[in-house]
Amino acid sequence: MPRVIIYSSFVLLLLLAVPPAIVAKIRSTPSEGRPIHIVQDMDYQSKFKTQTPNPLFADDRAMRQPVPGAVARGEVFDDPHFHEGTLDDGSWASEFPARIDVDLEFVERGKQRFGIYCAVCHGDAGYGDGIVNERAMTLMANADGPLQGTAWVQPKSVHAPEVAAQPVGQIFHSISKGIRNMAGYEAQIATEDRWAIVAYVRALQLSQNAPAGLRAEATR
Amino acid sequence: MSRFLFPKWSNLLLPGLIAAGAVMPLYAVFFVAYGFSPKTLDAGYQPVQPVPFSHALHAGQLGMDCRYCHNTVEDASHAAVPPTQTCMNCHTQIRPESPKLVEVQESYRTGKPIEWIRIHKLGDYSYFNHAAHVNRGVGCVSCHGRIDQMEVVYQSQPLSMGWCLDCHRNPEPHLRPVSEVTNMAYQPEFELTDTEREGLLAKYDIHPSENCSTCHR
């Protein structure tokens, strides 16, 4: 057999390996060029889904913001104790709202939520030593002054005497509306869950600064 | 007479061609199955986002829970991408003047949302629900991969119908306790015994549906 034919059939065989190799490369490297939909079916329909843009509105949102003053169903703020943490005379509530059962399950819910929303800054035990705090402190300690405008204030320990002495309503209010350098978490955490976090903060405070009598009782 | 005679070696060509004829269709089928599968065409999508936001930093190194930002994931079908306010909880104080955060500051001032590019997207004719999965012990990592190690998010799974059904037919190996759904490093195959997994199946009363109307409604 002439060499040409033998060699060229080898070359052809090798060429056959090229397309799968290209595909293998595409599969193993993330890139911008996807998804490729050759047959589009009804993948892209002319409807708006959650969090999609709509060019008809000035702010490009398909999800419209409620008109100022609108009240959604079930969202009536008729209970200042539950929604604001204040009593009728405007002072901080020192009890949990009547519609909440503070039981073990509720405190555990609070523990979980505290872990999600608060521990990054306040630390797992609430001493104000979370990972974000550590990171921000190194930015503050930068030799040439704080980096890029960083102005970090250390999160307050929830065990500080002035915080431990606060009524539950005031702590609830700090979480909801924010306090000085801390942002409010009203938009991120449901009202009930904010109360659960308050219950857990109380439990933390008790566990770290338990009065001597209680401690003796627990170890007895 | 100078009639053309096929040389003797040409007798080999016929079996050669038959062999090629038999193999080429197989090759083509294999190539289409491999090269045109959603694992090639859909998985791996990694667009460049308007802000160089890093999950590897925030969810990985800082250890933030997914739900701090994607806070609707347990209650709704949609996992909300966070509004600018969520970023500003920290970034009013942490590197507010960073050039990487210009877009975020701009959005905060004007109230116009940051235009994050959507990565995971099913066909508009299909229905998906995060709450149904997350509250039944299917972890984010099963469907989104190691987000906490990604500098830039990419789609790690094909999100094709076959992929959904693979799990709906046999969810057991993917289950974990609900408290661990956002724990990206949790590996049920090492942490749980088979009986514990079966226990989860019973505890969460899991019967994933294969009815067309579950996902096409």
Side-chain angles (χ1 to χ4, degrees):
Chain A
M1 197 180 292
R3 291 264 161 90
V4 198
I5 295 191
I6 297 176
Y7 289 157
S8 51
S9 44
F10 271 119
V11 170
L12 273 178
L13 272 179
L14 280 179
L15 283 180
L16 282 184
V18 171
I22 293 177
V23 171
K25 169 94 173 91
I26 293 178
R27 277 188 174 212
S28 62
T29 38
S31 75
E32 241 185 303
R34 274 164 280 189
I36 305 161
H37 284 198
I38 299 159
V39 182
Q40 294 257 327
D41 294 328
M42 290 166 72
D43 285 355
Y44 304 97
Q45 301 172 9
S46 44
K47 66 179 178 190
F48 298 106
K49 295 177 106 177
T50 320
Q51 289 195 318
T52 49
N54 180 346
L56 287 180
F57 292 107
D59 61 1
D60 288 344
R61 287 179 215 241
M63 289 160 70
R64 306 311 304 149
Q65 303 290 90
V67 179
V71 179
R73 258 188 86 149
E75 214 188 47
V76 187
F77 295 101
D78 56 352
D79 183 354
H81 190 170
F82 182 64
H83 293 287
E84 311 276 348
T86 52
L87 296 178
D88 291 334
D89 61 3
S91 63
W92 299 122
S94 53
E95 300 284 323
F96 283 84
R99 64 169 97 172
I100 287 176
D101 270 341
V102 185
D103 52 13
L104 184 62
E105 202 187 324
F106 190 69
V107 178
E108 295 208 313
R109 172 83 180 168
K111 176 177 185 192
Q112 190 211 25
R113 297 291 117 173
F114 186 91
I116 297 171
Y117 295 104
C118 317
V120 275
C121 290
H122 284 279
D124 287 329
Y127 281 102
D129 55 358
I131 307 181
V132 167
N133 174 62
E134 275 167 30
R135 221 22 211 248
M137 283 307 191
T138 54
L139 292 183
M140 291 294 283
N142 188 37
D144 308 323
L147 260 180
Q148 291 169 334
T150 305
W152 184 254
V153 175
Q154 182 169 8
K156 196 144 214 174
S157 165
V158 300
H159 307 296
E162 65 273 27
V163 182
Q166 286 175 5
V168 285
Q170 190 177 356
I171 296 183
F172 177 81
H173 191 268
S174 304
I175 302 178
S176 307
K177 306 285 179 192
I179 174 112
R180 300 185 298 276
N181 289 294
M182 173 179 143
Y185 281 78
E186 203 171 27
Q188 262 161 285
I189 315 177
T191 315
E192 190 121 336
D193 284 345
R194 272 178 270 139
W195 280 110
I197 292 176
V198 174
Y200 180 64
V201 168
R202 269 281 176 271
L204 269 182
Q205 289 168 341
L206 203 60
S207 74
Q208 302 295 309
N209 310 307
L214 194 70
R215 234 177 306 163
E217 210 167 292
T219 46
R220 194 144 17 99
Chain B
M1 222 170 71
S2 65
R3 209 154 59 105
F4 175 78
L5 283 174
F6 280 101
K8 195 148 184 232
W9 57 261
S10 64
N11 286 342
L12 280 175
L13 281 183
L14 190 60
L17 281 177
I18 290 175
V23 171
M24 279 313 286
L26 280 181
Y27 175 84
V29 167
F30 163 79
F31 183 74
V32 169
Y34 182 63
F36 290 76
S37 107
K39 285 189 186 139
T40 316
L41 299 183
D42 291 307
Y45 177 42
Q46 185 181 43
V48 176
Q49 300 287 351
V51 177
F53 171 77
S54 161
H55 279 81
L57 172 65
H58 290 85
Q61 291 174 38
L62 298 178
M64 292 174 70
D65 192 285
C66 313
R67 288 166 290 188
Y68 185 100
C69 294
H70 303 292
N71 60 345
T72 66
V73 74
E74 291 172 313
D75 310 317
S77 64
H78 183 80
V81 169
T84 308
Q85 172 58 51
T86 304
C87 313
M88 295 317 266
N89 287 349
C90 292
H91 284 291
T92 44
Q93 295 169 59
I94 296 176
R95 291 184 182 256
E97 290 154 23
S98 164
K100 293 187 186 164
L101 285 162
V102 172
E103 290 260 355
V104 181
Q105 301 285 359
E106 173 79 20
S107 154
Y108 191 54
R109 249 195 329 276
T110 60
K112 258 189 105 155
I114 305 171
E115 291 182 18
W116 302 109
I117 295 167
R118 180 81 183 267
I119 303 156
H120 299 78
K121 188 182 173 309
L122 301 175
D124 279 348
Y125 47 77
S126 45
Y127 170 81
F128 178 76
N129 189 328
H130 273 95
H133 293 91
V134 174
N135 297 328
R136 294 297 197 322
V138 183
C140 314
V141 70
S142 298
C143 305
H144 294 300
R146 288 304 295 262
I147 295 272
D148 64 330
Q149 297 174 349
M150 296 181 194
E151 282 296 334
V152 181
V153 180
Y154 62 87
Q155 179 177 331
S156 79
Q157 300 294 327
L159 304 190
S160 64
M161 177 164 146
W163 174 82
C164 303
L165 288 177
D166 275 348
C167 178
H168 276 214
R169 288 186 179 131
N170 181 21
E172 211 179 297
H174 303 279
L175 296 180
R176 56 180 72 204
V178 166
S179 57
E180 303 292 339
V181 284
T182 56
N183 181 350
M184 307 303 275
Y186 187 93
Q187 288 175 308
E189 62 269 35
F190 300 129
E191 312 263 353
L192 297 176
T193 61
D194 281 349
T195 30
E196 280 172 328
R197 259 193 295 271
E198 269 163 36
L200 288 179
L201 209 58
K203 182 173 166 206
Y204 301 138
D205 188 21
I206 288 173
H207 306 283
S209 160
E210 289 171 44
N211 278 337
C212 314
S213 59
T214 310
C215 313
H216 304 293
R217 35 176 92 177

